[in-house]
Amino acid sequence: MKKKMISIMLILVCSLSVFSVSKASNDTFYIYPEVQQAMEESSLVDPANELYFEEVKQMFYENVHTNSEDLNSMLAEAVSHINSVDFALENKLSTLTQEQEEMIENRNMYRDNETNYQSALSNYALGVSLLRVKGCPYAADSMEHAVVPENKVGTSYTPTTLVYNQDSWAKKLCLIDELFWEIEGKFQSEILATGKTSGSISGGFSFTEANSSLDAYLQLHNVDYVVTFTKKSNGYASVTRLKDLYNFEKNKYSGIMGAAVDYAYYMQQRGYIKPYYISIVYSY
């Protein structure tokens, strides 16, 4: 019994020692003020960015352990890619918002033929229900998230960013084969070929029913991605952020889907629903 207790104590001491070393290693790195400020400003644009940067830092602590200069270099590059993608999406959202505001200002021109808010929302809800019946819960959730409360129509109200962080949907999306090979090609040419031990890449990808699922296709379709890599003992670790500007475009589809999307576009142009961002973060 005494020998058993001694063995347990030794295991506990060793475990505490390992934990202390791991915790202390994080404390030995210093994030430069300008890098910290850049991350904070970027996170104000999209709350998912803060989650992304935290995953990048954790990836560094677990796999690199070199010095603060390398940590800040990796973070600064990640911020640069994130900001570049977000800037382009912000410009697109700004254009959509301006078009929507101009349409709302001119509503008196067609008010007699306009479906009122409650009737329009009832029709829209039928589309949401149909998506759930077809096994597309995430696409349905996105449609619901876009709805503007009746007392906010015509105001600056904007739906919050819809974030999926390290959950089953984020995993399913980020590990789709076609997306993996798209990212792998850039990784080979922009990271491995240059001999870098860490770095970030960015690009675009289109989800289709064939390469993913009807749910992913209807919810996201075209996304921008940013991936940060770092070398580890048996390969590379990575953190991925996918981002989409959720909105509807007229005359883009045919058949029943085309009619449904065109109706959603009608809702969007009248301010009953509004464009917003969907962000997905996953590390592996």
Side-chain angles (χ1 to χ4, degrees):
M1 181 67 179
K2 185 176 180 181
K3 289 183 177 180
K4 186 175 180 180
M5 288 298 294
I6 292 174
S7 298
I8 293 173
M9 290 297 292
L10 285 172
I11 291 172
L12 287 172
V13 168
C14 290
S15 298
L16 288 171
S17 298
V18 170
F19 175 78
S20 298
V21 169
S22 177
K23 184 177 185 302
S25 65
N26 294 1
D27 293 338
T28 61
F29 299 108
Y30 173 67
I31 297 178
Y32 302 155
E34 60 272 22
V35 174
Q36 181 64 38
Q37 181 179 351
M39 289 191 296
E40 290 174 358
E41 291 175 351
S42 180
S43 298
L44 291 175
V45 175
D46 185 344
N49 291 349
E50 181 178 3
L51 301 171
Y52 184 84
F53 298 139
E54 285 301 318
E55 289 295 327
V56 170
K57 285 188 286 185
Q58 191 59 39
M59 183 172 64
F60 180 92
Y61 298 145
E62 292 176 356
N63 299 292
V64 185
H65 289 303
T66 51
N67 53 57
S68 294
E69 183 178 356
D70 287 345
L71 171 61
N72 282 276
S73 176
M74 186 167 73
L75 288 172
E77 185 175 355
V79 170
S80 177
H81 279 265
I82 287 284
N83 286 351
S84 178
V85 169
D86 285 356
F87 180 75
L89 288 173
E90 283 289 310
N91 284 338
K92 184 177 180 180
L93 177 58
S94 178
T95 299
L96 287 172
T97 301
Q98 184 177 349
E99 290 175 354
Q100 188 179 55
E101 289 174 350
E102 290 174 354
M103 180 67 76
I104 292 172
E105 287 177 2
N106 295 325
R107 284 173 66 183
N108 289 332
M109 294 175 60
Y110 49 78
R111 185 176 294 277
D112 291 342
N113 298 320
E114 184 178 5
T115 305
N116 66 44
Y117 178 89
Q118 290 299 334
S119 296
L121 201 64
S122 295
N123 293 333
Y124 187 76
L126 291 176
V128 174
S129 299
L130 180 61
L131 285 179
R132 296 198 187 282
V133 169
K134 286 186 169 293
C136 301
Y138 294 100
D141 288 345
S142 295
M143 283 187 69
E144 288 182 330
H145 195 73
V147 173
V148 176
E150 188 170 10
N151 65 339
K152 300 292 185 181
V153 173
T155 71
S156 60
Y157 172 89
T158 301
T160 58
T161 299
L162 191 56
V163 178
Y164 299 92
N165 179 40
Q166 307 291 356
D167 59 12
S168 59
W169 186 235
K171 179 179 180 180
K172 184 174 182 178
L173 292 170
C174 291
L175 296 183
I176 285 173
D177 287 345
E178 282 79 0
L179 176 59
F180 175 84
W181 292 117
E182 158 77 22
I183 292 172
E184 173 72 10
K186 280 182 171 282
F187 169 70
Q188 293 282 350
S189 61
E190 297 181 25
I191 305 296
L192 280 186
T194 61
K196 297 167 66 176
T197 58
S198 67
S200 295
I201 61 172
S202 55
F205 179 76
S206 294
F207 287 98
T208 66
E209 188 174 358
N211 69 24
S212 52
S213 67
L214 180 62
D215 206 3
Y217 170 58
L218 293 178
Q219 185 197 35
L220 299 166
H221 193 34
N222 296 315
V223 299
D224 292 288
Y225 64 78
V226 176
V227 188
T228 299
F229 297 89
T230 189
K231 190 172 180 60
K232 60 180 184 177
S233 59
N234 59 342
Y236 279 79
S238 66
V239 182
T240 301
R241 190 204 71 169
L242 308 179
K243 188 168 183 176
D244 175 51
L245 175 56
Y246 187 83
N247 69 292
F248 294 95
E249 298 177 18
K250 191 177 181 180
N251 300 325
K252 189 173 182 180
Y253 303 95
S254 59
I256 296 176
M257 180 183 292
V261 170
D262 286 352
Y263 189 80
Y265 175 80
Y266 166 92
M267 295 272 292
Q268 182 174 283
Q269 291 302 95
R270 281 145 186 79
Y272 298 162
I273 63 175
K274 278 192 173 184
Y276 67 92
Y277 296 120
I278 299 175
S279 288
I280 298 105
V281 177
Y282 187 71
S283 57
Y284 58 94

